[in-house]
């Protein structure tokens, strides 16, 4: 993409829409989890921990709509539903895993920077109030 294309309205909307989906907290975790292979809804929910049923359903539907995930329903009682990455989802897995790894590796640095910023902000407020 050339610099002149960065500000075209259609391009901005397309990039913004995709980044909104991909940048969502739960999307990153779901994509990374499905990178190990297909999982049932209940398995995903258990593996992700604190996600609500509603949020997992919403996230999976969005990923399915965008072509990153497929849903397969098996006619059992109760019905079994498996979710799996599509080829497009597998392509997305590469940067998602890199981002997740970077976040894990740099978590403490970010926490330290936040604490220093908050401390400096608090000190500045005390000085300006005096």
């Amino acid at each position: 993409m050339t610099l002149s294309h960065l500000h075209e309205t259609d391009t901005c909307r397309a990039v913004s829409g995709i980044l909104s989906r991909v940048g969502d907290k739960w999307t990153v975790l779901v994509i990374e989890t499905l990178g190990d292979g297909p999982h049932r809804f209940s398995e995903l929910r258990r593996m992700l921990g604190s996600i609500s049923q509603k949020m997992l359903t919403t996230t999976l539907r969005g990923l399915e709509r965008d072509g990153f995930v497929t849903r397969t329903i098996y006619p059992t009682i109760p019905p079994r539903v498996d979710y799996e990455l599509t080829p497009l989802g597998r392509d997305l897995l590469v940067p998602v895993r890199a981002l997740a790894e970077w976040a894990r590796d740099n978590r403490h640095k970010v926490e330290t920077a936040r604490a220093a910023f908050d401390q400096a902000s608090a000190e500045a407020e005390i000085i300006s109030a005096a």
Side-chain angles (χ1 to χ4, degrees), residues 17-18 21-22 60-69 86 88:
I18 291 170
R21 164 71 58 219
V22 174
L60 287 167
R61 281 187 183 154
L63 289 169
E64 186 178 12
R65 179 176 182 253
D66 289 346
F68 297 120
V69 169
T86 63
L88 184 61

Side-chain angles (χ1 to χ4, degrees), residues 84-128:
E84 185 173 12
L85 293 179
T86 63
L88 184 61
R90 291 223 164 268
D91 285 348
L92 178 59
L93 182 60
V94 174
V96 162
R97 278 197 170 150
L99 180 59
E101 183 178 338
W102 182 91
R104 284 189 291 271
D105 290 347
N106 291 283
R107 168 180 84 177
H108 298 295
K109 292 176 186 174
V110 171
E111 290 168 358
T112 300
R114 286 176 179 169
F117 181 90
D118 293 346
Q119 178 68 32
S121 294
E123 290 171 3
E125 284 184 34
I126 291 171
I127 292 170
S128 67

Side-chain angles (χ1 to χ4, degrees), residues 11-88:
T11 302
C12 287
R13 272 193 224 132
V15 170
S16 177
I18 291 170
L19 288 179
S20 291
R21 164 71 58 219
V22 174
D24 175 74
K25 164 188 172 180
W26 292 115
T27 294
V28 170
L29 295 172
V30 168
I31 292 289
E32 189 176 30
T33 302
L34 289 174
D36 297 331
H39 289 289
R40 296 175 74 167
F41 183 90
S42 58
E43 290 174 325
L44 282 170
R45 187 158 180 225
R46 190 172 39 257
M47 294 168 87
L48 294 171
S50 63
I51 191 169
S52 69
Q53 181 172 335
K54 182 179 189 252
M55 183 53 68
L56 181 55
T57 298
T58 301
T59 300
L60 287 167
R61 281 187 183 154
L63 289 169
E64 186 178 12
R65 179 176 182 253
D66 289 346
F68 297 120
V69 169
T70 59
R71 179 176 61 140
T72 305
I73 303 170
Y74 297 94
T76 60
I77 298 176
R80 177 180 162 182
V81 181
D82 284 355
Y83 294 89
E84 185 173 12
L85 293 179
T86 63
L88 184 61

